[in-house]
Amino acid sequence: MSAASTIACHECDLLYELPALPEGSVAKCSRCGAVLHHHKRDSLDRTLSWTIAGLILFVVANSFPFLAMKKGGLIRETTLITGVVELYRQDMQSLAVLVFLTSILFPLVQLAGMLYLLLPLKVKRLPWWKPALVFRFIRSLQPWGMMEVFMIGILVSMVKLGKMAKIVPGIAIFSFAILIFVLAAAAASLDPHLVWDRLELDS
């Protein structure tokens, strides 16, 4: 972080001039004891690694069959996007749009946006187009990523459809499951204060 930055305690609103912190250290409010900032170790490197891994898993999850149904001699495979299309065709347009946004579009925008920001910062350069706006936007999308809910719905459907036909999980469903944990790891390793400081928002 820079020499000093102003920060407000999120519990009691007391203002501090937060000095530069060594990696791994934690700053706490002297009045209420709340954590003001945790300077995570190797935040940019670890978040960038998780982001690249997440993009690879995202491509696999959307390029290969998600599930296959076998009944007699009939085999039907489905991908994430074909599932969205099928919901739309069955007059569930609102649900189809919600699944597309929360399980495909928003995670992709988050991963691509983090890669856009972190790669230049890794080599001590600024992204060329409105990095502050991009960072605010992808941070605002984070609560809308509902891949976990979608995964639970898939597992429930597998149990119910298992009585009608044989369900064969595809490589995409495993990639999707791992992607959920990778996104969580990327979010946990990210130090937003460090990113804001590198972007020089106060200039």
Side-chain angles (χ1 to χ4, degrees):
M1 296 182 66
S2 59
S5 57
T6 303
I7 187 172
C9 175
H10 63 276
E11 294 289 344
C12 65
D13 292 329
L14 185 63
L15 291 177
Y16 289 91
E17 287 292 331
L18 192 65
L21 298 175
E23 287 191 351
S25 60
V26 178
K28 293 186 178 181
C29 178
S30 60
R31 183 161 68 184
C32 67
V35 175
L36 298 173
H37 175 57
H38 180 199
H39 192 181
K40 301 174 182 178
R41 295 184 183 276
D42 301 321
S43 174
L44 291 183
D45 291 339
R46 291 190 293 119
T47 307
L48 180 58
S49 299
W50 287 120
T51 299
I52 294 174
L55 281 169
I56 295 172
L57 289 168
F58 184 88
V59 171
V60 174
N62 286 274
S63 301
F64 291 91
F66 204 76
L67 293 172
M69 293 181 60
K70 292 184 178 181
K71 188 172 183 180
L74 180 64
I75 301 177
R76 184 176 181 182
E77 293 181 337
T78 182
T79 62
L80 278 174
I81 195 65
T82 56
V84 172
V85 172
E86 192 61 31
L87 286 172
Y88 190 86
R89 288 176 177 172
Q90 294 181 11
D91 292 327
M92 291 184 280
Q93 289 85 0
S94 298
L95 182 58
V97 171
L98 183 63
V99 170
F100 175 74
L101 291 177
T102 58
S103 299
I104 299 177
L105 183 59
F106 288 168
L108 176 59
V109 171
Q110 281 184 270
L111 289 167
M114 289 305 299
L115 187 67
Y116 167 77
L117 290 171
L118 295 179
L119 272 180
L121 293 181
K122 171 66 177 173
V123 295
K124 303 184 185 306
R125 301 190 63 172
L126 287 178
W128 67 274
W129 185 81
K130 298 187 180 299
L133 179 63
V134 172
F135 191 51
R136 287 193 183 96
F137 180 66
I138 61 178
R139 294 282 290 175
S140 68
L141 288 181
Q142 191 170 352
W144 292 96
M146 301 180 184
M147 299 176 67
E148 303 89 344
V149 178
F150 182 72
M151 190 67 188
I152 292 174
I154 291 294
L155 295 177
V156 172
S157 299
M158 288 176 62
V159 172
K160 291 185 176 182
L161 292 174
K163 301 176 182 179
M164 303 169 52
K166 183 178 179 181
I167 305 298
V168 181
I171 186 175
I173 195 171
F174 297 107
S175 299
F176 191 84
I178 298 172
L179 177 59
I180 293 173
F181 292 98
V182 168
L183 288 176
S189 62
L190 179 64
D191 185 347
H193 292 279
L194 179 60
V195 175
W196 288 127
D197 189 67
R198 292 288 181 92
L199 294 178
E200 298 178 348
L201 294 180
D202 55 340
S203 60

